[in-house]
Amino acid sequence: SIDAIKYLSLKLLGSVINYIGARDTNTASKLAKIFRESMPSGVAATRPLPTLQNWKALQQNCVAWGRRIELLHQIRKAVQTYGETAVLDGVQQINGPLPASWWGRKHDVDLLRAIVRHGFGNSDAIIKDPELCFQKTNPNSISNNPKPNPNPLTYLIRS
């Protein structure tokens, strides 16, 4: 159920904050604020789930995952406040190695739009969204590329 997903998401976020601790106090502070804002009224914060306390990948990647959660939260909040078009149409091409030879600014913007709409890592829904450029651009190169082995966190962070 959606309530179970929210519960597990908050537990994961609490665990990320716990492991970041002094490693990156700025990110930990921002995530703690997100955590407090996301907590349903009348529900007290509880300790992290025991199964998350011994998860080595969480301990090793907590800062990077925490920063990603913070960025996704900022994008979602900006889109909710100003609208998808106002926020995303001003995005310039993102610098860095291109994921494919045909990749351009439109793909960067539509990938951000897709994450807001479908959640991080939900590639099937992203590729099938007719309002995004991925079907139109080069469907063969997208659908024939093997999907990376998804990280369990990907499914817990989905919006």
Side-chain angles (χ1 to χ4, degrees):
S1 76
I2 194 70
D3 289 335
I5 292 170
K6 286 180 183 178
Y7 172 79
L8 289 173
S9 297
L10 288 172
K11 286 294 193 178
L12 178 65
L13 181 57
S15 296
V16 168
I17 294 166
N18 182 49
Y19 281 117
I20 290 175
R23 295 183 204 179
D24 185 341
T25 56
N26 186 40
T27 300
S29 173
K30 290 177 182 177
L31 289 175
K33 183 178 181 208
I34 293 169
F35 185 81
R36 287 188 305 272
E37 290 172 356
S38 302
M39 186 67 65
S41 60
V43 175
T46 58
R47 298 175 50 93
L49 292 174
T51 55
L52 296 177
Q53 291 177 347
N54 297 319
W55 189 18
K56 296 290 183 205
L58 175 60
Q59 295 170 22
Q60 294 167 347
N61 299 302
C62 62
V63 174
W65 291 352
R67 289 178 182 161
R68 181 178 293 163
I69 292 167
E70 179 191 352
L71 175 62
L72 293 172
H73 178 76
Q74 289 173 352
I75 292 169
R76 177 173 296 284
K77 197 170 183 178
V79 167
Q80 288 172 343
T81 302
Y82 303 108
E84 190 176 274
T85 302
V87 172
L88 300 177
D89 283 353
V91 172
Q92 300 300 313
Q93 184 159 338
I94 298 169
N95 295 326
L98 299 176
S101 60
W102 44 264
W103 195 273
R105 178 192 172 278
K106 174 72 176 153
H107 302 94
D108 286 336
V109 173
D110 271 6
L111 184 57
L112 289 171
R113 186 171 278 124
I115 291 168
V116 168
R117 289 181 186 176
H118 303 292
F120 180 79
N122 197 355
S123 58
D124 291 335
I126 291 169
I127 291 169
K128 292 176 184 175
D129 189 328
E131 294 180 20
L132 302 174
C133 67
F134 300 109
Q135 282 185 334
K136 302 169 218 152
T137 303
N138 195 340
N140 291 331
S141 66
I142 293 173
S143 61
N144 290 335
N145 284 339
K147 292 180 185 162
N149 190 5
N151 183 314
L153 178 65
T154 299
Y155 298 103
L156 292 173
I157 293 181
R158 287 187 182 168
S159 44

